[in-house]
Amino acid sequence: MTIDEVLPIAPGRTAGDWTRRGGTPAAPSRGRLRPLGLREVTLLPGFWQRRQDVNRSASLAHIEHWLERAGWLGNFDAAVEGRLPGARRGREFADTETYKLLEAMAWEFGRTGDLELEARYSAIVRRVAAAQEPDGYLNTNFGRPGQQPRYSDLEWGHELYSFGHLIQAGVARARTFGTDELVEVAIRAADHVCDVFGPDGIAGVCGHPEIEPALVELYRVTGDRRYLEQAALFVDRRGHRVLADIEFGRSYFQDEVPVRAAEVLRGHAVRATYLAAGAVDVAVETGDTELLDAVTRQWRAAVARRTYLTGGMGSRHQDEAFGPDFVLPPDRAYSETCAGVGSVMLAWRLLLAQGDPRCADLIERTLFNVIATSPSDDGTRFFYTNTLHQRVLGTEPAADTQVPRAASTLRAPWFEVSCCPTNLARTFAGLAAYVATSDDDGVQLHQYAAARIRTALPGGRAIGLDVDTAYPADGRITVRVTEAPDAPWTLTLRVPHWADGATLDGVAVPPGQVRVRRRFAPGETVVLDLPVRPRLTAADPRVDSVRGCAAVERGPVVYCVESVDLPPHVPLEALRLDPSIAPEDRDGAVVVAGRLASLPGNEWPYGPPGRETDVRALEVTLRPYHDWAARGPSTMRVWLPLAAG
Ligand SMILES: [Zn+2]
């Protein structure tokens, strides 16, 4: 069988032409913009291709190794062999990391057709499929003698969350290949969920949203409206106190206010973004503009008041949650990597639905400063949380150690809760999908990376674009038309919100979007120049924790100071930034004018204002935040206090 064959997913139904196009991570049936497939956008050498390659060549195998080693894959074998619950390893949601690996492998296969990867994928699928029970239920942690009964702990059990990731893996496989054993397992699981939680079933929801976007995506693949209706039911049930109260309050799992009545994203940040992504999916497929407007409102409020400079979301360690408006302390940033993934999922769905370039702006910020920050250069260590201020030197976890989720202060190989590495893996494998979209009239570029784009507009009008750029190191983006219909069409380019002074073919263009509509001849180029000079950024004064500070950004990249870049005997906490001297590019780094301040004595930390004095001036080198801690333990800060006077 070749991957170009389109296999039936359900009677009379195929995955459409997605298998030919390489699949795509979210495929709404309507909306302002249409996604492209992973074979329609090929990343070429550059910032993102390098990370995607490391993901394929190192991270996928690293994750597979740890799933075996930690026994989480073995849980499926133990289920088949009747060795549960005694042999079970890992947390209640450990099954999901296998599903997310399978999803990553499916996208990767769609992109590359790598047969060695396909063999590894198939071997894992056989073990997972064998553990599915005759009624479609599949979870190694519940329902057997000696285990908790099925669905006896909707608050914390993560059973529907686990099904959600299983279904998303099945969707990825269906879109990139057609039907197979995993797709069948996913459909049986979804049917089971609809049987048990349908209108006449258990009137509950899962403590961790995820089943919602998964069911809508399965509806998009199979055409079976039952999945869409079940997802809509889950979205509408939540917020009516259907889950028990917990120590963090019901807002933790977004069950205190109905989805369509909420004003802002709140509670556990991963839960909040997954739920909102699922609500957008439901709204788009059912034409529910009230629901779409509600999520859009919540997203805008969260971006305006609850998001770190890096795009990170979640400032509370206690419950991994959004804090109140403007509570964004850099040294207490939780900013879980998975919340970054969830934020990209949500912003991408809103972008497809409405075409608002602000969504692509946030995706860019989050990709460069959260998603790119988490993995090490070699793709085998990861940040779970992404602080903006490290006050004490971290410790490097040993390569064979599994660490608690946020306990490590440096990138760690694996976690007891290891949601982030697998979430990164599926994101990197599907990354090309976020670069561009199409509509009836043309192609839109949202993210800038060296890439080759080959797609077709309705009516078979083929369009080819080669994007040549060293972005974000350099701001010049050259788009060469390689194939075009013999009629006018529109090429749309995003101009990021920070890009004051951008030009298109030498003509000034404001932030937002610039559209070029004409009859393009093959070989023609369009050149967008974005000003990626370093710049100082201040926060809204209501972000009290960084008042009187500035950060340095260069294009979409946030910079930081690390102690390893300071001269000997210069403590990071005594460093001040002189804003009167413009920051300068120098050899891939940014150099700023700093001052060293005298620090007060240590007996009592309070006294009259204005006690600080400057000792001397010095130059300070900042490097991209996504590279921090790559050279061993360091203290670090993104926000630098401004020098007095
Ligand atoms: Zn995570």
Side-chain angles (χ1 to χ4, degrees), residues 26 33 265 273-274 276-277 280 295 299 303 313 339-366 434 446-447:
L33 303 174
L265 300 181
T273 49
Y274 283 11
V280 173
V295 180
W299 179 80
V303 171
M313 292 185 173
V341 171
S343 171
V344 170
M345 285 168 55
L346 170 58
W348 178 242
R349 283 159 165 79
L350 288 171
L351 178 67
L352 292 177
Q354 298 162 329
D356 183 347
R358 287 175 292 183
C359 298
D361 276 347
L362 187 75
I363 290 173
E364 170 172 78
R365 182 171 289 280
T366 309
Y434 301 115
H446 304 287
Q447 304 301 332

Side-chain angles (χ1 to χ4, degrees), residues 206-455:
C206 186
H208 199 314
E210 160 60 24
I211 187 73
E212 297 84 354
L215 284 172
V216 181
E217 282 276 273
L218 188 64
Y219 156 71
R220 289 164 175 167
V221 165
T222 62
D224 188 339
R225 284 193 71 84
R226 194 183 179 204
Y227 307 137
L228 174 61
E229 285 158 12
Q230 185 63 49
L233 194 55
F234 281 138
V235 168
D236 279 332
R237 270 184 194 155
R238 191 177 294 271
H240 298 280
R241 300 169 171 250
V242 294
L243 295 166
D245 204 0
I246 56 166
E247 58 178 320
F248 307 131
R250 286 194 178 90
S251 65
Y252 173 80
F253 28 51
Q254 296 78 38
D255 189 34
E256 88 294 15
V257 179
V259 175
R260 57 185 79 232
E263 292 296 331
V264 65
L265 300 181
R266 74 279 177 221
H268 187 274
V270 183
R271 284 167 167 79
T273 49
Y274 283 11
L275 173 64
V280 173
D281 285 338
V282 167
V284 165
E285 297 302 336
T286 59
D288 188 339
T289 51
E290 181 198 50
L291 182 59
L292 183 59
D293 289 349
V295 180
T296 304
R297 181 175 72 231
Q298 293 160 26
W299 179 80
R300 286 190 186 150
V303 171
R305 309 195 296 263
R306 298 187 173 187
T307 302
Y308 282 101
L309 181 65
T310 53
M313 292 185 173
S315 61
R316 293 167 57 107
H317 281 240
Q318 172 179 273
D319 48 356
E320 307 187 299
F322 285 98
D325 289 351
F326 303 112
V327 178
L328 295 163
D331 49 356
R332 294 293 293 161
Y334 196 74
S335 182
E336 182 179 341
T337 300
C338 286
V341 171
S343 171
V344 170
M345 285 168 55
L346 170 58
W348 178 242
R349 283 159 165 79
L350 288 171
L351 178 67
L352 292 177
Q354 298 162 329
D356 183 347
R358 287 175 292 183
C359 298
D361 276 347
L362 187 75
I363 290 173
E364 170 172 78
R365 182 171 289 280
T366 309
L367 288 177
F368 278 110
N369 303 297
V370 178
I371 305 301
T373 303
S374 174
S376 60
D377 274 351
D378 69 356
T380 64
R381 289 169 177 270
F382 310 90
F383 277 130
Y384 190 111
T385 60
N386 294 280
T387 187
L388 277 70
H389 183 178
Q390 181 71 36
R391 289 178 182 270
V392 295
L393 293 178
T395 48
E396 187 103 44
D400 59 352
T401 314
Q402 180 171 291
V403 304
R405 64 177 81 182
S408 169
T409 46
L410 290 177
R411 293 177 180 87
W414 199 247
F415 303 88
E416 286 169 17
V417 175
S418 224
C419 45
C420 300
T422 49
N423 237 340
L424 287 171
R426 65 188 186 126
T427 303
F428 283 122
L431 198 62
Y434 301 115
V435 168
T437 56
S438 69
D439 63 9
D440 288 348
D441 191 47
V443 171
Q444 304 78 38
L445 294 184
H446 304 287
Q447 304 301 332
Y448 296 117
R452 187 170 57 238
I453 299 169
R454 300 285 184 274
T455 188

Side-chain angles (χ1 to χ4, degrees), residues 69 87 97 106 130 150 222-223 284 311 392 411 414 430 495 513 537 541 583 614 621-622:
R69 174 186 178 133
E97 308 319 337
R150 292 179 185 182
T222 62
V284 165
V392 295
R411 293 177 180 87
W414 199 247
V495 181
Q513 286 178 329
T537 299
D614 282 352
T621 300
L622 286 79

Side-chain angles (χ1 to χ4, degrees), residues 517-537:
R517 180 172 172 77
R518 63 173 181 249
R519 186 190 308 259
F520 289 91
E524 248 187 276
T525 60
V526 170
V527 178
L528 178 67
D529 271 305
L530 299 176
V532 293
R533 299 179 291 276
R535 63 189 189 277
L536 299 185
T537 299

